[in-house]
Amino acid sequence: MRSPVGHALRSVVALVGLVGFGVCFGYFAAHQSSFSRILGGEIESRPRSYVKQVQVVIDPGHGGKDGGAQGNGLLEKHLTLDVAQRVRRELAKRGLRSVLTREEDRTLSLSERVEIADEHREAIFVSVHFNTSAAPSVSGLEVYHSDPKSLETLVALKKRFEIPRTEKLRDDRNRVLAEAMQASVARTTDVRDRGVRNRSFYVTRHAMAPAVLVECAYLTNEEEAGRVKNPHFRSRIAQGIADGVEAYLERVAAYGATGGGYPYGLIVGDEEIGEAGEDVAER
């Protein structure tokens, strides 16, 4: 004979399970765009046309007369171009548009690199670099952003997005992109994660787009340089950079436009943070 208490308990358990399923289903439906890449679907947009308009500007550091860092038989300018080309191919597989600031071994000024990015209203700027250290034991990945941007960049942003000059503006996009990039590249390369860092590099400080500078590895570390010499490892770097771009776009898609209709990460009406100080010239 069934106990009335047992029957009641089973009914309560079934009801709780049904409610739990409904809550989970509702959460998934409400956040479907956040799971789009995990499920292999198309990235949802803010609106959908936004992702189609985004131009990822990939900047191979140095070039031409500027060889960049050297270590263990490697020269930075050749590696940055190789990785940038791999990033472009990786992004193309995912349906994302991209452009390189240089397609060959040529000299390009820092301001010219920024100008290429600023040509595109909806852009993401990623500058690719490799590092060196006086201590051969130092290794790992670092991703840099500039917070704050220069004052003239904030003025240009207000003009581009029709933000009244009297409004205060803070640009938080660079930090968000840097955090997404650091996590993604560290995961795909399995190198030491040296963290996200804030520094006034010219290209990240003056570009109107959300901008990061990726120091992929240390050429002066013998073990890490050995990995960099392997094309498969450089492809893993490129995959991580592409993953970082996608992760950032998912944040944008999940957020949507702010109440004022301004791009994600441009905080209007908050305390304005801008800086008129000196740049770090070599980047």
Side-chain angles (χ1 to χ4, degrees):
M1 179 181 294
R2 295 184 179 180
S3 167
V5 175
H7 178 72
L9 181 60
R10 284 191 292 273
S11 298
V12 170
V13 170
L15 179 60
V16 170
L18 183 61
V19 171
F21 173 81
V23 170
C24 292
F25 181 83
Y27 180 87
F28 178 83
H31 295 78
Q32 188 174 5
S33 63
S34 300
F35 297 104
S36 59
R37 184 169 65 85
I38 298 173
L39 299 177
E42 180 182 355
I43 297 176
E44 294 298 324
S45 61
R46 174 206 52 85
R48 182 177 297 273
S49 60
Y50 170 74
V51 170
K52 294 180 180 179
Q53 293 171 3
V54 168
Q55 186 76 267
V56 183
V57 180
I58 313 162
D59 175 41
H62 307 283
K65 297 178 181 179
D66 178 11
Q70 299 181 56
N72 288 291
L74 296 169
L75 188 59
E76 184 179 11
K77 69 174 183 177
H78 299 314
L79 296 169
T80 59
L81 182 57
D82 176 85
V83 169
Q85 291 168 337
R86 293 172 189 269
V87 173
R88 176 168 58 185
R89 292 194 292 269
E90 190 66 37
L91 291 171
K93 293 177 187 176
R94 308 174 191 210
L96 294 171
R97 301 189 307 155
S98 64
V99 62
L100 271 60
T101 57
R102 66 179 179 93
E103 299 273 1
E104 57 191 4
D105 182 19
R106 71 184 185 94
T107 303
L108 195 65
S109 71
L110 299 177
S111 61
E112 287 175 311
R113 298 168 194 265
V114 169
E115 287 169 7
I116 292 171
D118 286 351
E119 290 174 0
H120 306 280
R121 179 181 172 88
E122 303 289 0
I124 294 173
F125 182 87
V126 181
S127 190
V128 181
H129 287 261
F130 287 83
N131 222 333
T132 60
S133 173
S137 61
V138 176
S139 65
L141 162 77
E142 300 159 3
V143 176
Y144 290 87
H145 68 98
S146 295
D147 183 17
K149 294 267 195 180
S150 68
L151 288 173
E152 58 265 34
T153 304
L154 290 181
V155 170
L157 281 169
K158 287 181 179 181
K159 182 177 181 180
R160 168 166 287 184
F161 294 109
E162 300 179 351
I163 300 170
R165 291 178 63 91
T166 55
E167 287 279 9
K168 296 185 181 300
L169 175 65
R170 183 159 61 89
D171 188 354
D172 201 37
R173 301 171 300 164
N174 313 287
R175 177 190 58 80
V176 176
L177 176 59
E179 290 173 353
M181 192 65 64
Q182 181 75 17
S184 297
V185 180
R187 182 177 59 251
T188 61
T189 59
D190 195 29
V191 299
R192 180 187 175 195
D193 186 345
R194 295 174 59 86
V196 171
R197 304 187 178 201
N198 183 10
R199 195 171 182 189
S200 294
F201 289 130
Y202 184 94
V203 292
T204 52
R205 188 166 174 258
H206 289 272
M208 281 194 277
V212 294
L213 186 146
V214 185
E215 293 279 9
C216 302
Y218 276 78
L219 303 183
T220 42
N221 181 279
E222 186 175 1
E223 180 181 351
E224 203 154 84
R227 296 185 70 187
V228 172
K229 291 176 183 178
N230 187 331
H232 177 69
F233 179 72
R234 298 197 298 273
S235 290
R236 297 293 290 174
I237 294 173
Q239 180 185 335
I241 291 174
D243 286 350
V245 169
E246 277 201 317
Y248 175 79
L249 288 176
E250 286 178 355
R251 288 284 297 272
V252 174
Y255 174 84
T258 66
Y262 303 121
Y264 169 78
L266 286 182
I267 303 172
V268 179
D270 202 345
E271 178 184 2
E272 182 155 312
I273 303 176
E275 189 175 59
E278 296 296 321
D279 302 305
V280 177
E282 70 269 21
R283 294 284 190 269

